Amino acid sequence: MNKESFLTLEETLACTDGIHVLGNSQSFYFTSVQTDSRLVECGTFFIPLIGEFQDGHKYIPQAVEKGASAVFISRSNYEKDSSFFVEVHQKNPEVNFIAVENTMTALQKIAGRYVEKFPALIKIAVTGSSGKTTTKEILASILAQKYNVISNKGNLNSETGLPLSVFNIRSEHQVGLFEMGMNRVDEIKEISAVLKANYAIVTNIGTAHIGILGSRENIAKEKANVFNYFDGNGIGVIPSADDYADFLGKKVKGKVVLYGDDTQSVKFIEDLGLEGIKFSIDGIETVLSLPGRYNYKNALGAVALAQELGLSAQQIADGISSLKPMFGRSQVLKGRFIIVQDCYNANPDSMEKSLEFVSSVAVKDGKKKIFVLGDMLELGEKSKDEHEKVGEMAASSDADEIIFIGTEMKYAFDKAKKSSDKKVISFELKDDETMKKVASEINSFATEGSTILIKGSRGIGLERLTELLSGGNK
């Protein structure tokens, strides 16, 4: 066995109930893990996943060719067509094949076993219906003032993203900070078993994915699984104003810290509009560059946990002020227009917050305010009602023009058209040609220095619009 291997063959088989079906056990090793064959390199453990429309097993030959050293295979696939795997192995005898009941579960199991190799690691989870990535990034910036921090990149927070992310942990890391999201029942439960966090922040219990889980109560129950592995010494940081704060608090085996308002040490000073929020920690002033009071609330959760972990007011202030804006999340881009690009994700909660925030930003000297709103995805049977609410909110705002994009936003358009005499436009398609039409419309309507909100789910791809708008925004 290569001494650099993340796990031994024995550890891998034990935690997955796997069967070593092909290969030389003496040569087993892996130094990276991938579920995408295109990302495989020498020493990668390739894990083919079986989805609704795709079976990753067909990419095993490509993965092996690129240097995969080990491969999980589904027992059922192996039993159906063992000759396929035998043939691949004969061409690549150095590769080890392990048969498991479910490759996704096996990925989570080896990820959990890998995390156990770092018993001194401070393990922190961040979950919630919205604001997860922002809160994680704020906390990472703060904790980096004292600790060596590893966190998941972007929003790699899913049943596959979280397990893959933990394989980036190394012996030099002192804090493992990982965001946890969900798209189905029991997803938080499963990925919590990977990290086994003893510190956690819940941002809120909203309506994101309500089409899948059915109710906010079910969402709260699922999010509460983030506390499953608290051992009595854990710290759960919970938003005090949330309807489910008490419910969540009862699930914490350890200390409950509530956040959401000024405290004895944290004081709000000034809303700087598009420039962010000024506040102080024990009298030390700092500026959160992310605009909006909702982002300030996310920061309060991060500050609360940082204080519990012993960071000084100066360290926290420095971490806040050094935070860099994240792509598509409350980004303020200035050029010919002032663009608020918030198109990495969208759900009813975050949409409402964005509309309220940009509505509160004053425009001067005849400048225009334009909202470009894309579909909110994964709302299920509640989609029509939630999009109609967006139409009503947008219609009652101070926007001069509202542009709705997507098939679901057609409901918002219909509602806004009935209740407002604003300039309201709808585009049901989301292709590149549509984006060019939207950009043309904005360029003809807006004056220089106008404020434009671009908000929608990631799947709509509204960032293409930012690129098309003239003015060299940066």
Side-chain angles (χ1 to χ4, degrees), residues 26 41 50 68 72-73 110 115 119 133 162 175 199 272 318 332 334-335 365 379 417 421 430 450 455 459 468:
Q26 299 302 310
E41 56 189 14
I50 301 175
F72 273 143
I73 54 177
I110 63 169
V115 172
T133 303
L162 185 282
V175 173
Y199 303 88
L272 303 174
D318 289 346
V332 179
K334 296 181 179 179
D365 305 323
L379 296 182
K417 195 72 175 173
D421 57 1
K430 59 179 182 178
S450 293
K455 176 72 176 176
L468 291 169

Side-chain angles (χ1 to χ4, degrees), residues 445-457:
F445 180 79
T447 55
E448 186 171 345
S450 293
T451 298
I452 303 168
L453 168 66
I454 299 178
K455 176 72 176 176
S457 283

Side-chain angles (χ1 to χ4, degrees), residues 12-250:
T12 302
L13 296 177
C15 70
T16 62
D17 290 326
I19 301 172
H20 184 220
V21 291
L22 295 166
N24 181 355
S25 60
Q26 299 302 310
S27 66
F28 179 87
Y29 86 103
F30 66 100
T31 53
S32 66
V33 180
Q34 292 292 349
T35 57
D36 186 335
S37 62
R38 294 167 296 182
L39 302 177
V40 168
E41 56 189 14
C42 185
T44 294
F45 201 141
F46 177 60
I47 303 179
L49 303 179
I50 301 175
E52 187 176 353
F53 305 107
Q54 186 99 261
D55 186 342
H57 285 74
K58 71 179 181 179
Y59 298 108
I60 289 176
Q62 292 95 311
V64 169
E65 186 177 329
K66 293 192 72 174
S69 58
V71 180
F72 273 143
I73 54 177
S74 162
R75 286 178 188 166
S76 61
N77 283 49
Y78 184 68
E79 290 167 0
K80 287 177 186 176
D81 189 9
S82 61
S83 61
F84 168 76
F85 302 102
V86 170
E87 183 177 341
V88 174
H89 177 256
Q90 286 175 341
K91 294 178 181 178
N92 306 271
E94 73 284 357
V95 182
N96 284 274
F97 290 78
I98 297 173
V100 294
E101 187 67 31
N102 181 295
T103 54
M104 170 73 75
T105 302
L107 165 62
Q108 296 172 351
K109 293 293 186 181
I110 63 169
R113 181 67 186 89
Y114 180 73
V115 172
E116 290 174 4
K117 290 181 173 289
F118 305 92
L121 188 72
I122 297 170
K123 297 177 292 186
I124 304 170
V126 179
T127 194
S129 295
S130 59
K132 296 183 293 295
T133 303
T134 299
T135 301
K136 179 201 69 180
E137 294 295 333
I138 295 172
L139 183 56
S141 186
I142 294 172
L143 295 180
Q145 306 302 311
K146 180 178 180 179
Y147 297 109
N148 189 326
V149 181
I150 181 68
S151 62
N152 36 5
K153 296 177 181 178
N155 67 337
L156 287 172
N157 60 16
S158 65
E159 59 189 357
T160 56
L162 185 282
L164 290 173
S165 293
V166 302
F167 284 109
N168 292 317
I169 299 171
R170 298 293 181 268
S171 57
E172 64 267 23
H173 294 132
Q174 298 166 292
V175 173
L177 170 59
F178 295 94
E179 171 187 342
M180 293 184 180
M182 66 178 185
N183 288 296
R184 60 173 176 79
V185 175
D186 284 341
E187 190 165 0
I188 296 291
K189 182 178 181 180
E190 290 173 13
I191 58 181
S192 287
V194 173
L195 185 63
K196 295 183 173 65
N198 210 31
Y199 303 88
I201 299 176
V202 177
T203 59
N204 64 339
I205 302 299
T207 53
H209 308 306
I210 198 166
I212 299 169
L213 276 83
S215 68
R216 288 183 67 217
E217 181 180 1
N218 288 340
I219 292 171
K221 289 177 180 177
E222 182 63 28
K223 296 296 185 182
N225 285 319
V226 75
F227 306 125
N228 282 359
Y229 294 89
F230 279 26
D231 59 4
N233 297 312
I235 297 176
V237 181
I238 297 169
S240 59
D242 197 281
D243 297 345
Y244 290 89
D246 289 342
F247 171 82
L248 293 169
K250 291 175 183 177

